[in-house]
Structure formats: C-alpha cells, structure tokens
Amino acid sequence: MAANFLALSCIRRDTRAYGNLSPRQHYPSMPTKYPEGVSQQEKKVEGSEYRALFSVVGMTCSACAGSVEKAVKRLPGIREAAVDVLNGRAQVTFYPSFVNEESIREAIEDVGFQAALVENEKSERTSQVCRIQINGMTCTSCSSTVESALRSVPGVHKAQVALATEEAEIQYDPRIMRTDQLLSTIKDTGFKAVLMSTGEDMSNIQLKVDGLRIDHSIEILENSLLALPGVKAIETDPLLQKLSISYKSDLTGPRSFIEVIESTGSGRFKAEIFPQGEAGGRDSHRQEEINQYYKSFLWSLVFTIPVFLLSMVFMYIPGIKDGLDLKILNMMSIGQLLRWILSTPVQFLIGRRFYMGAYKALRHGSANMDVLIALGTNAAYFYSVYSVLRAATSPNFEGTDFFETSSMLISFILLGKYLEVLAKGKTSEAIAKLMNLAPETAILLTLDSEGNIMSEKEIDSRLIQKSDVLKIIPGAKVASDGFVIWGQSHVNESMITGEARPVAKRKGDKVIGGTVNENGVLHIRATRVGSECALSQIVRLVESAQMAKAPVQKVADRISKYFVPLVIVLSFGTWLTWFLAGKFGAYPKSWIPSSMDSFQLALQFGISVMVIACPCALGLATPTAVMVGTGVGASQGVLIKGGQALESAHKVNCIVFDKTGTLTVGKPVVVSTRLLKNMVLRDFYELVAATEVNSEHPLAKATVEYAKKIRGDEENPTWPEARDFTSITGHGVKATVRNREVIIGNKSLMSKYHIVVPLEAEEMLAEIEEMAQTGILVSVDQELMGAIAISDPLKPGAQEVISILQSMKVRSVMVTGDNWGTANSIAKQVGIETVVAEAKPEQKAERVKEFQALGYTVAMVGDGINDSPALVAADVGMAIGAGTDIAIEAADIVLMKSNLEDVITAIDLSRKTFSRIRLNYVWALGYNLLGIPIAAGALFPGAGFRLPPWIAGAAMAASSVSVVCCSLLLRYYRRPKKLDTFEIREITIG
C-alpha cells in the first residue's frame, strides 16, 4: 500500500501540466561517486564492475526518474545509474563487493515503482544483511580490527562496525557463508558476538516452549513449523527452552506458531513470547556489560584498598610501620610480601580481560588500549616482583616495589570503563524511548463473515498478524500500523511525527503504531506489523544513522591507527631518556625521591606516559555525539541520516526552497472564476472538469473539486466523456468534450494553438499573479471563454522562518516551476529576495550547482519527489512532508512534521552537535597533548611535579568518561527560543 501511495503521490506531484516542465528521456547524471574503500586500482580492474538492467513500471516523468536515480545512487558501491523514462528502464553499474542486484531492485521499489531484473552482465549473486551485537570494543582500533577481519571473510560484500553502538552491519552472500561463521570471526578477534537480526524482508520472533527437551520432540516441532508457509529458519536452544523463528509476516505469524506448537505432541507443549529481558537484546547486553565492570571494580577494591593502605598510609604510622618493615627473608619485608600477595589477583584475575584483549589485538596485527594497559601494569608488577625476589636473595639490597601502581591502575581503569559504559548506555536512550512507544498488549477482535464482532481478546502486541482487526479504546496506544474500519476519534501522533495537535481519524484513515487514541473507540485492520511498521522503520533509520561514520571521524581513525605504537615508542623513549640522564648525572641526585633510585624514577615516568595516553576518547568523540544528536533529532521530528548529513548540514549557508508544498500548503484551491463569454458557470465547469479529471496535477484536482461544489453535493459525479485527451507537459491539457475542443492551460499554450488572448484577459492574469495566485485560461472551440484563479496559501509562519534563517546568516532562495508573477508575489510575502521561476526539474539542479560554484554550502528543501534533481545536487537534501513513509524516502534529512520551522531545528541541531564533536576532540586531544608531556616529566625539573602512574591511569579513564558525558549534554538540546514563540503564534493563527 505504501508503495502504491508513493507512486500515486509521484504522479500527482510531478505531472506539472502548468509548471513549464518538458519531457526528458534521460535524467541528468550526477557526478560519479565511489564507495569508501574502493581503491583507484580496483576501479581500473577489468571485470570489477557489474552492469544490470532493470525494468521499472510506473514512471511518468523525469521527476520520477530522478526519484529512482537518487534512491539507487544513495546505495553504497554504485558506479553509475541511468534511467530511461520512456522505455521504463534503469541501467546500473555497480561494485558487487558493496551492493547487489536485489538491494538495487528494492531501492527502486521503495520509492514507489515496480522493478525487475532484466539482464545482468555477470553471474547472479544474492545478498543478505545481518546485524550483530559486539561486546568488549574499547577504541577505534578495536572496531577497525573487527571490520577488517569481517571484510576479509569470503562472501562478505560489506561490513560496517560502529564503536558507539557496539554493533556490526554485514552484507554477505548466504550461499558462500553462514552467520555462525561471522560470529566465529568476531570471536576470534577477541570480542563477544551475538546475532541480533538476519535477512532483509524477514521477521523474527522468539518463543519460550515449556516441555522442550533434548530429544526427537525438537525435530518434530521444527518439522511442524517449517511446514507452515513463510517459515524460513528455526534455531533451537533446549537449555533456555527457546525457539527463534524467521518468517515472512505476510504469510504467517506468531499466533500460528503457538497454535502449531501447542497442538503438537498431544498438548504437552506450552508456548509464549520469550520474556524481553532474557532475549538477549541491546539493553540486556549493555546491562550485562555494566554489571561485569561494576563487579570487577568492586573485587579490585577488595585487594587494592589494602595495597594502598600498606603503601601510602601505614608506612607513616609508627608501630605499624615497624611491623611491616620486619624482614622475613634477607631484605624482604612483611609489607612487600603482603603487597605482592594482594596485588597478584588484581593483576592476573581481575585484569585478565586486558591480557586477553591485548593478545587478540596483537595476534591480528593491531594495537589497542588493552595493549597499553597490559604493558604498563606488567612493567610495574614484574619490576616489583624482581625487587622483592632480589631483596629475598640479597643480604644488602633495599629495593622499592610498585605493586600499588599496577593494582590501583587497574582499579581506576575499571572504574573509568564502568562509568563509560554507564554513560554510553544513555546515548542510545532516544532509540529506547522510541521502542517503548509500542504498547505491550492489544485487543484482538474476531469477526464473522458479515463483519459482526464475535469475541474480543487481549493479546501480547507481538502476536499481532497482518489483517487482524484490533480495538483501540480511548487513552490506549495504537498497536500496529493500519487503517480505520469503524469509529471516529482523534489520535495524538506527536511521539512519531512531533506534531502536537491531535489528528481526526475516521473510516478509511491510516493510523500509526505507537500513537495514542484520545477520545473515541476505533476498530483498525493491521496492515504492517513487527519490523514493517513505521515505528520500527524509524528505529532502524536512527540505528543506521548512528552506524554511519561522519567524514570528520576519518581523522580520528587515522590517528588511532598509529596512536598506540607511537605511545609505546614515546614511553620507551621517556624511560630511556630519564634512565640515561640519571646514569650520566645529567640532573642532580636530589631530584630522585628517597624511596627509589634513578632507574625506578625513569620507569615510573615511562609507565605514566604509557597509561595516560587514551585512544578511547579519540574514538568516542564523534560517534557518541552523532548518536545523541540523531536520537534527539528523531524525538524532535527531524531524522538526520547519519554523520555525513550531520556534518554537511552544519555548514549550510544557503537554502533553496521549492514553492508548492514547501513554502505553501500544497493544496491549491479555486478562489475565483472570470468568464469572458456568456456561458452558464455550471456548463463551463462541466467542460473543465471533464477534461481535468484525466490529469493528476494538483491544479487539475483543485478545479475538479471546485466543479463538484458547483454541481451540488454529489460525492462521485459522472463527467462527460473526454476523447483524445492530451497532456502538454509544462503547459496544460487538451481534450474533446461533447464534440467541443477544450484547451486548458497557460498563455503560452494558447499561443501555441493560435488562440487570441484579449487585453482584458491579459489584465486579469496580471491581477491574479499580483495576488500570488495562478491563472489558468480556458478555451472552447478556439475561443477564450474565461480564466480560473487558483491559490495555494502560504504555510503559517513561513515569513518568520525566512527571517530567523537570515538572523542565522543563511541565505534563502526560492526555485519554482510556477510563473514569475506568482513566484515574485510569494517571495515578497515571505521575504525571499532571490527568486528563480518557470524552472524545470533539471534547471533547479543547475541553479543549485550555480550557488555551490559561488562557494555556498546548499541545502534543498522540497517534497522529496518532484524536486529530486535538486535534492541530489544539493549538499543536503531535506524531504518535507514525509509522513509515515519516512524510512523509505531518499533524503539526507527527513522533516516528519512537514513544518518549515524544522528546517531551522535541523540546521541548529547539526551545528550544536558538530560543536559538541569539536569540543570532544578538544577533550580527547587535550588530555593526550597535555597529559603525555606532563607524565613524561616535563614539569619535574622546574616545579618538581611528577605524575604517578596510578594518577595517570585515573586521568586516562576520566578522558573517555568526559568525552561521553560531553556528548550526553546534547540530550538537553532545546530548539531556538524563537521557535517556541513562533509555534504559539502558529497555533493562535490556526
């Protein structure tokens, strides 16, 4: 239904009979873009590209072609795309390592057209996408290691790993490999992996089956379920008594599964939805990680606090100090032995995670934070062991141990990681809130063949299947996407669209899952359930946005690649410099503390350098801010599709607005009719409506609606037959009605058919255009009969939006296909100085490029379909009025509320988010650029200030926490105060 709606929408918006559009066989091609990771060499390799030809049904004009082309070009790995409107063909050249034919076909169908693969110059390939939760990554080095390992697996077309969300999205060929191989690959790199979802058009549900045992009953159940239509795969976990079923929701559903399970085995099985908390979702994994770090930190304190007291406190208390200094073997004291015993569990048991992480990272040729921690703590621990053993075997050696350094270092790092994962969990709260909008239960109605209610039953909302009839009582949430089949009410859709006002709903109207029914009772028929519903699509879109890396993150990735090796070199260099300086007397011996020698002093400086350096903060600077920013945007009704859009939007200093449906309401209405000849108005509109009813243009629809009013209260009037109907693109329409030739359109169309336009009509048109209305001329049998004035009113507050943008130093431009008079009048009303009128779609794109050539970063705001060429050409494309189909719209930013003020919110939010990213880099780089020299002893010669390793470790842990907390402050983002008063004004007007 969504696809049909989009196709109709495209026809309605794009067949601009009055918009001066001309037919164009091929859509203007955009600059070639290669996917990230495609080398110049690969581009030259013969046979590295695939070329596929698709048949595309439903395209009517060049804007439709533009919609298809943009959807295809937004996919990764697209080399070129050419769309032929007249022949209904799309030829796509692509890199098979990044995208496949099925993904391209689905991208075309997602914008409302039917597509089928006609031919392919290479062998057929299939592709599947899965998402995997990865636990244990600490920095960009970790995510890069996993990403590289996945990409090297045969059959993997694309792999993207996000550090902040701790997820991987992998596109692979299921004929070559299975998901368990992907999980094994990730585990081999040293991280825990859990499969979250698999398949592109599949739903997945987990059922708890009481009575499930490890015997032939499992096989019986699986065979029974696989016999159902649409069931594709089943995974069984006998220990948890859990069945995971992948299925096609349009063929079957969870209630059918439960019915089959409970009817199998003489009724000894009982099935229910698996409890959410135990299903292994994102929240449970995050909570498990938080609990692990918390327990590890508490256990480390059990041993570290005594070590700290023995080293830092008791040594200064008379009596206790004497007891600790007692020698038990040569020069080894009781205090040394106790510190050794207490620090060993911290080093090897509690700190085992760092050893494992370091080993697996080094095994795959990379180095991460675990390597630095393992090296630093080992240096302190094993030197201390050496000192103790030397003291035990020597009658005169007095060594100093650093057991407190290693144990306190590990404790502080664990505390930092605990605070970090705690904070990181809050960055995804926006997604959690969206997911929690879905109600837990629903009321299922059973109807007889005549539509009468037989019974009603409360069920788990996850058991809803397509075509179910649901009852929505006042105050309850709508359980799934669908349409009203009975009842009237108002529904609050603010949690989905951000629009505060309740929307009236009656029979035939669509409803969105998660919205709140306010007053009346509604009966709805479910059309999209589970992962297909709008709420799930929004969640997936936000998740995908958070997976995508911003270009600025590439800088951090490059730095992180060399960061750890560089730190190790600096650490060794620091130790060597201080050691040699002490050996050759380059500094006074008075600088050396009484409790250590020159070697130990140099060692402490080296360890401090190693542990204060933090690659984690650098890696978290961008993704955490993007996560919070996109999440906040979603809650404000602004969907920003990833870091690329976010980074481009903050630079925008010129916005190109379409007129119809963007600056104006987009629903034209007839405001006046002026006849030039004696003719009954009803008869006049009979001819007009009979002709215009064949057109899908908005102005045509407006005249037909007005003609209905002239005829009376007929709901479905019958108009005279129109023969030889012709749509003259960009000018108007022509047909023969009741043996009379009717021509409706603009002045240039009249000139084309040699119809005289008298001075009176010229004056009428000028007057109409001065009032920001569109004038349409009507000719009957080569004689001008009259003019119709159609108005598309301005959106409330359009003038204020332009004014606020000017205060933000953003230039506003209006580009429209309408006539110059109407365009100038509208522009004058809203305060736009630069106007481009009578522009065809490709000309809009050319205008955008002209502004880019002048040095502007350009955003294009349109309806996402008829402005496709300009949206593609712009640095940022903003689709306005996307409604419930936001997840399948091809735009960089989607404004769900269809309100102009959200353009300001999008730009302001992107600016705030990007300033937060910059601040994060200041925190991350500042810690390292200032901390490393201080840890290396830069202040020691002059001020005598030395940074002990355990304090350096605490600073390192604090850097990651500070970066995440800095990003979290974005949660308190509030749109500009001017918009708050603006909204009040708009409601007052409305």
Side-chain angles (χ1 to χ4, degrees):
M1 179 176 287
N4 294 335
F5 171 77
L6 279 172
L8 289 174
S9 173
C10 182
I11 295 170
R12 176 175 60 79
R13 296 288 182 115
D14 296 332
T15 314
R16 288 178 173 263
Y18 310 95
N20 288 335
L21 305 185
S22 62
R24 184 179 179 88
Q25 181 173 347
H26 292 288
Y27 184 55
S29 60
M30 296 297 119
T32 300
K33 295 179 181 178
Y34 293 98
E36 183 182 351
V38 178
S39 64
Q40 293 294 329
Q41 186 65 29
E42 185 179 351
K43 296 166 194 171
K44 298 174 184 177
V45 175
E46 187 176 356
S48 64
E49 297 176 358
Y50 276 36
R51 185 176 288 107
L53 183 66
F54 296 84
S55 68
V56 183
V57 179
M59 294 190 297
T60 59
C61 62
S62 60
C64 297
S67 178
V68 172
E69 183 170 342
K70 177 167 183 180
V72 172
K73 284 193 170 184
R74 290 186 66 84
L75 294 172
I78 299 298
R79 172 69 176 82
E80 190 52 75
V83 182
D84 185 342
V85 181
L86 298 181
N87 297 312
R89 292 287 188 268
Q91 184 172 284
V92 184
T93 306
F94 61 100
Y95 295 99
S97 299
F98 293 83
V99 71
N100 68 343
E101 299 89 344
E102 184 65 12
S103 299
I104 297 170
R105 185 190 65 77
E106 289 179 353
I108 297 172
E109 292 193 342
D110 281 347
V111 290
F113 306 98
Q114 294 180 4
L117 181 65
V118 177
E119 64 178 89
N120 191 346
E121 293 186 4
K122 297 286 183 179
S123 60
E124 288 187 18
R125 301 170 71 97
T126 59
S127 179
Q128 200 163 324
V129 174
C130 71
R131 296 174 73 92
I132 296 176
Q133 179 83 30
I134 304 174
N135 294 331
M137 295 189 298
T138 56
C139 61
T140 51
S141 178
C142 300
S143 58
S144 299
T145 300
V146 177
E147 206 167 84
S148 299
L150 288 169
R151 286 177 177 172
S152 65
V153 176
V156 171
H157 300 160
K158 178 186 174 185
Q160 190 171 20
V161 179
L163 174 64
T165 58
E166 295 185 331
E167 287 181 18
E169 188 173 86
I170 305 156
Q171 187 177 18
Y172 65 99
D173 190 337
R175 297 174 302 176
I176 299 175
M177 62 171 310
R178 303 185 308 276
T179 52
D180 57 349
Q181 292 173 275
L182 296 173
L183 296 173
S184 177
T185 300
I186 295 171
K187 289 173 183 175
D188 286 343
T189 60
F191 305 100
K192 184 179 178 183
V194 180
L195 184 65
M196 296 176 64
S197 64
T198 181
E200 294 183 329
D201 294 316
M202 304 289 289
S203 295
N204 186 276
I205 194 164
Q206 294 172 322
L207 301 176
K208 185 171 184 178
V209 183
D210 292 333
L212 190 65
R213 295 289 181 267
I214 306 175
D215 54 20
H216 70 283
S217 62
I218 295 177
E219 186 178 349
I220 294 172
L221 278 182
E222 288 183 349
N223 291 336
S224 300
L225 291 168
L226 286 170
L228 291 173
V231 175
K232 294 298 179 184
I234 300 174
E235 292 182 11
T236 309
D237 188 339
L239 295 178
L240 293 177
Q241 295 188 324
K242 180 171 70 173
L243 284 181
S244 297
I245 306 170
S246 297
Y247 63 98
K248 290 195 173 184
S249 60
D250 55 342
L251 297 177
T252 187
R255 291 205 311 280
S256 301
F257 305 149
I258 292 176
E259 186 178 329
V260 167
I261 291 169
E262 294 185 345
S263 62
T264 303
S266 304
R268 67 186 177 92
F269 297 119
K270 295 295 180 185
E272 62 180 1
I273 297 289
F274 203 89
Q276 288 270 19
E278 302 170 39
R282 178 204 300 265
D283 291 340
S284 60
H285 286 303
R286 180 79 69 187
Q287 192 58 47
E288 182 183 346
E289 188 179 19
I290 290 171
N291 291 339
Q292 284 179 354
Y293 275 115
Y294 181 66
K295 289 176 182 176
S296 296
F297 172 64
L298 288 182
W299 275 110
S300 69
L301 286 183
V302 170
F303 296 98
T304 300
I305 290 175
V307 173
F308 172 76
L309 293 174
L310 289 169
S311 303
M312 306 288 186
V313 179
F314 294 161
M315 297 303 291
Y316 299 97
I317 300 176
I320 298 179
K321 180 181 183 303
D322 296 336
L324 293 174
D325 286 341
L326 284 174
K327 303 297 186 287
I328 55 176
L329 182 62
N330 287 328
M331 298 300 292
M332 184 176 71
S333 65
I334 293 176
Q336 287 177 323
L337 183 60
L338 288 175
R339 288 192 292 272
W340 185 8
I341 293 171
L342 289 168
S343 63
T344 299
V346 179
Q347 182 70 34
F348 296 107
L349 296 179
I350 298 169
R352 182 166 56 99
R353 66 173 67 239
F354 302 120
Y355 283 100
M356 293 174 61
Y359 166 71
K360 289 175 179 176
L362 292 172
R363 194 180 69 178
H364 288 86
S366 64
N368 58 10
M369 186 197 75
D370 292 334
V371 173
L372 295 179
I373 296 171
L375 286 174
T377 55
N378 276 337
Y381 178 84
F382 284 108
Y383 176 77
S384 301
V385 171
Y386 163 78
S387 295
V388 173
L389 293 177
R390 179 80 182 276
T393 57
S394 174
N396 53 14
F397 177 81
E398 291 189 11
T400 304
D401 64 85
F402 300 135
F403 286 119
E404 78 284 352
T405 296
S406 64
S407 57
M408 290 175 68
L409 192 54
I410 289 173
S411 296
F412 274 111
I413 290 168
L414 288 172
L415 174 61
K417 295 304 294 181
Y418 167 69
L419 295 174
E420 181 185 322
V421 294
L422 204 63
K424 278 166 67 179
K426 296 183 183 297
T427 61
S428 57
E429 277 190 357
I431 290 180
K433 288 179 180 178
L434 283 171
M435 295 176 76
N436 289 336
L437 291 177
E440 294 182 1
T441 61
I443 300 174
L444 177 68
L445 299 179
T446 304
L447 307 180
D448 60 17
S449 57
E450 297 179 358
N452 299 315
I453 299 174
M454 301 284 291
S455 65
E456 60 180 64
K457 176 184 177 183
E458 187 173 65
I459 62 171
D460 190 306
S461 62
R462 290 170 291 174
L463 295 176
I464 298 173
Q465 298 180 188
K466 278 189 178 180
S467 300
D468 280 347
V469 177
L470 307 172
K471 179 180 179 181
I472 315 297
I473 62 176
K477 291 181 179 179
V478 177
S480 77
D481 289 7
F483 62 91
V484 179
I485 61 172
W486 180 87
Q488 293 185 8
S489 183
H490 286 80
V491 175
N492 187 337
E493 298 181 344
S494 61
M495 66 283 296
I496 300 293
T497 65
E499 182 59 58
R501 300 172 210 159
V503 181
K505 300 290 180 182
R506 54 179 59 87
K507 185 177 180 179
D509 289 343
K510 291 182 180 179
V511 289
I512 309 170
T515 56
V516 178
N517 182 27
E518 294 212 333
N519 39 36
V521 176
L522 294 175
H523 293 176
I524 70 164
R525 187 175 298 280
T527 56
R528 295 193 293 182
V529 298
S531 59
E532 296 178 354
C533 67
L535 183 59
S536 296
Q537 290 178 344
I538 292 172
V539 169
R540 279 205 303 274
L541 190 148
V542 177
E543 286 179 334
S544 297
Q546 294 177 348
M547 288 279 293
K549 293 181 180 178
V552 70
Q553 193 174 340
K554 293 177 184 177
V555 179
D557 290 345
R558 287 194 206 102
I559 294 173
S560 297
K561 187 182 293 185
Y562 305 103
F563 188 87
V564 173
L566 180 63
V567 168
I568 293 172
V569 171
L570 286 174
S571 176
F572 180 77
T574 300
W575 169 79
L576 187 62
T577 301
W578 279 100
F579 175 68
L580 293 177
K583 194 78 172 173
F584 296 105
Y587 59 83
K589 289 187 177 181
S590 59
W591 286 10
I592 304 174
S594 58
S595 59
M596 62 181 71
D597 56 24
S598 61
F599 176 85
Q600 294 167 342
L601 179 66
L603 184 63
Q604 286 228 342
F605 281 128
I607 294 173
S608 294
V609 169
M610 191 171 292
V611 298
I612 200 170
C614 183
C616 301
L618 204 59
L620 292 169
T622 299
T624 52
V626 170
M627 277 186 72
V628 181
T630 51
V632 168
S635 67
Q636 300 265 352
V638 177
L639 295 185
I640 302 173
K641 294 188 177 180
Q644 175 72 59
L646 197 67
E647 185 165 341
S648 298
H650 96 278
K651 302 175 186 174
V652 167
N653 52 11
C654 177
I655 297 184
V656 177
F657 290 94
D658 175 45
K659 180 179 75 70
T660 306
T662 302
L663 290 172
T664 62
V665 173
K667 293 182 179 178
V669 292
V670 175
V671 291
S672 65
T673 309
R674 304 186 189 184
L675 298 179
L676 298 173
K677 302 292 181 182
N678 288 327
M679 189 176 187
V680 178
L681 190 63
R682 181 188 174 97
D683 295 339
F684 174 80
Y685 269 103
E686 284 265 330
L687 297 175
V688 171
T691 305
E692 294 281 39
V693 77
N694 297 287
S695 172
E696 289 292 336
H697 192 278
L699 300 185
K701 285 181 173 290
T703 57
V704 173
E705 287 298 317
Y706 190 74
K708 289 180 183 179
K709 295 179 182 178
I710 295 293
R711 284 186 56 164
D713 58 350
E714 297 180 44
E715 284 192 13
N716 298 302
T718 302
W719 306 108
E721 181 185 359
R723 293 181 289 106
D724 303 325
F725 175 81
T726 305
S727 175
I728 301 94
T729 307
H731 298 282
V733 294
K734 174 179 173 291
T736 301
V737 181
R738 289 176 176 166
N739 295 321
R740 306 184 73 178
E741 183 186 62
V742 181
I743 300 174
I744 306 172
N746 54 24
K747 192 165 64 173
S748 61
L749 182 63
M750 300 300 149
S751 301
K752 179 179 178 180
Y753 286 94
H754 309 292
I755 298 168
V756 178
V757 179
L759 181 62
E760 182 184 358
E762 296 268 11
E763 292 174 352
M764 285 166 49
L765 286 176
E767 185 181 339
I768 287 170
E769 289 177 2
E770 282 178 8
M771 298 186 331
Q773 297 169 356
T774 301
I776 299 175
L777 298 175
V778 180
S779 161
V780 179
D781 292 335
Q782 295 291 307
E783 188 176 11
L784 199 66
M785 299 299 292
I788 301 173
I790 298 179
S791 174
D792 185 6
L794 274 177
K795 282 188 175 179
Q799 183 178 357
E800 288 87 342
V801 168
I802 303 302
S803 175
I804 294 172
L805 286 172
Q806 288 174 349
S807 69
M808 296 170 67
K809 298 182 180 178
V810 177
R811 179 180 180 180
S812 297
V813 179
M814 186 175 78
V815 178
T816 178
D818 212 337
N819 62 72
W820 280 98
T822 303
N824 284 324
S825 179
I826 291 288
K828 187 176 180 181
Q829 289 184 46
V830 298
I832 293 178
E833 296 180 0
T834 308
V835 181
V836 178
E838 299 180 6
K840 301 172 185 178
E842 60 269 25
Q843 292 172 333
K844 292 183 180 182
E846 289 167 6
R847 293 294 184 182
V848 167
K849 291 176 182 176
E850 287 175 9
F851 285 111
Q852 290 172 328
L854 293 173
Y856 288 102
T857 300
V858 181
M860 173 68 195
V861 184
D863 60 14
I865 298 173
N866 60 355
D867 301 305
S868 299
L871 285 165
V872 172
D875 297 287
V876 180
M878 296 188 185
I880 195 166
T884 61
D885 294 300
I886 48 87
I888 56 175
E889 288 287 345
D892 299 308
I893 296 176
V894 181
L895 311 177
M896 292 192 293
K897 291 187 288 183
S898 303
N899 291 339
L900 270 180
E901 61 263 33
D902 286 339
V903 173
I904 297 170
T905 302
I907 293 175
D908 184 66
L909 176 60
S910 67
R911 289 181 177 181
K912 294 282 174 56
T913 303
F914 213 77
S915 67
R916 192 67 57 180
I917 290 173
R918 289 197 190 100
L919 186 57
N920 283 347
Y921 277 121
V922 170
W923 277 109
L925 293 172
Y927 266 105
N928 290 302
L929 293 177
L930 293 176
I932 289 176
I934 293 173
L939 301 179
F940 190 64
F945 179 78
R946 181 170 58 87
L947 203 62
W950 62 273
I951 294 180
M956 183 271 283
S959 64
S960 296
V961 176
S962 62
V963 163
V964 177
C965 290
C966 187
S967 294
L968 279 174
L969 291 176
L970 273 172
R971 291 195 304 164
Y972 304 104
Y973 168 82
R974 295 290 180 269
R975 63 184 196 163
K977 289 184 178 180
K978 294 178 182 178
L979 292 183
D980 294 333
T981 57
F982 165 80
E983 185 171 342
I984 293 171
R985 193 183 308 131
E986 180 182 336
I987 292 173
T988 304
I989 292 172

